Amino acid sequence: MGLLDGRAAVVTGAARGIGLEIARVLAAEGARVVLGDLNAEALHKAADDLTASGADVRRASCDVTDADRVDALVRTCKDEFGAVDIMVNNAGITRDATLRRMTERDFDTVVDVHLKGTWLGLRAASLVMREQGSGAIVNISSLSGKVGNPGQTNYSAAKAGIVGMTKAAAKELGHLGIRVNAVQPGLIRTPMTEAMRADIWAAKEREVPLQRAGTAAEVANGVLFLASDLASYVTGAVLEVSGGRGM
Ligand code: NAI
């Protein structure tokens, strides 16, 4: 018996990193999962690997900034699995630079992927979920959205915006049986953070009360909790998975 037996889920940005781990953990608990990502090649491999491990998954190439593609991604889940019980808006990018160097394009691109991308996923999933009278949506914010990081005025703003969006949607959709929550990961080792200089990485790790970076699996476990019935009375919440950093 898995926590998500019989459920159908969509995960964006699922080709690698935290999104792939979320897909793996949801599938391990019995969910059937549609993986969406911009990177078709990595997506193909991720879906094949999960299928080989016994998971029931589908994949759909999807740019989360494109409303038609996001609608199609959610429709794939409904068509293939008959429902959309869980939506995880995870896809993300960084374009870090100080205000002196950050271009308008860096700002727009980051806000588009995180804020508009999450909103499009939220909208598409909630339209199916309101017909069902149930559903759980989990948006991936970041600790950057809570504390702000230098060099990330674009990213911190977008990730803080996801918190406001999550709470507004939780209030709007609660009476329809739909829960909406956010996760704020701290320092997590993934392809996104691999490029960080070793000394900067070590300094950041020392700021963490648990004295280490987190794993994608630890973030995925937080998502699992919020997506499952264990969190049946939790909505509009922001779960920090940060080892205590920035509390
Ligand atoms: P990653 O770079 O390893 O994976 C991100 C995935 O999203 C990639 O597969 C990429 O192709 C996909 N993607 C990017 N733009 C997309 C678009 N427009 N449409 C569809 N897919 C797109 O990053 P990671 O670390 O796994 O991050 C996942 C989420 O977690 C992001 O929202 C990120 O901001 C957030 N996060 C990560 C932290 C970390 O320390 N790694 C900390 C806090 C939050």
Side-chain angles (χ1 to χ4, degrees):
M1 278 281 287
L3 282 170
L4 304 177
D5 279 344
R7 309 280 166 91
V10 178
V11 182
T12 68
R16 70 178 201 188
I18 291 171
L20 174 56
E21 203 53 41
I22 292 169
R24 197 191 314 278
V25 166
L26 299 186
E29 288 295 332
R32 294 159 297 166
V33 186
V34 179
L35 318 179
D37 206 286
L38 193 59
N39 182 340
E41 201 180 318
L43 181 64
H44 205 300
K45 186 179 179 318
D48 283 354
D49 289 352
L50 287 174
T51 302
S53 72
D56 191 0
V57 303
R58 304 288 183 278
R59 63 186 153 83
S61 196
C62 170
D63 180 343
V64 296
T65 65
D66 181 333
D68 290 342
R69 302 302 300 204
V70 176
D71 291 347
L73 174 68
V74 169
R75 211 177 318 116
T76 299
C77 185
K78 173 82 177 143
D79 291 349
E80 292 281 324
F81 300 139
V84 180
D85 301 301
I86 297 160
M87 177 80 199
V88 184
N89 293 303
N90 162 82
I93 56 163
T94 50
R95 293 286 182 275
D96 295 356
T98 60
L99 282 167
R100 233 167 11 125
R101 296 188 191 281
M102 189 178 289
T103 63
E104 210 175 324
R105 193 190 164 105
D106 292 334
F107 181 84
D108 287 343
T109 307
V110 166
V111 168
D112 240 29
V113 173
H114 290 282
L115 212 45
K116 187 175 172 195
T118 300
W119 184 77
L120 289 173
L122 175 64
R123 181 178 70 167
S126 68
L127 291 178
V128 179
M129 290 172 177
R130 64 190 299 142
E131 299 301 320
Q132 298 169 176
S134 66
I137 298 170
V138 183
N139 298 326
I140 306 302
S141 172
S142 166
L143 205 61
S144 297
K146 180 188 176 192
V147 301
N149 277 339
Q152 292 197 319
T153 48
N154 50 1
Y155 183 82
S156 299
K159 289 304 203 184
I162 288 175
V163 172
M165 188 190 303
T166 298
K167 292 181 180 182
K171 286 182 179 171
E172 194 175 312
L173 300 171
H175 73 106
L176 297 166
I178 304 168
R179 298 183 296 101
V180 190
N181 292 289
V183 173
Q184 289 189 324
L187 183 65
I188 311 295
R189 180 64 90 180
T190 69
M192 183 184 267
T193 50
E194 252 162 26
M196 206 182 287
R197 256 176 37 205
D199 56 325
I200 295 178
W201 180 269
K204 283 184 185 290
E205 273 193 319
R206 281 194 298 274
E207 286 171 15
V208 182
L210 291 184
Q211 292 288 290
R212 64 172 178 85
T215 65
E218 288 172 313
V219 177
N221 285 336
V223 173
L224 169 64
F225 166 69
L226 292 170
S228 78
D229 292 343
L230 291 177
S232 55
Y233 200 54
V234 181
T235 196
V238 181
L239 177 62
E240 292 176 25
V241 182
S242 65
R245 183 161 176 243
M247 71 174 87

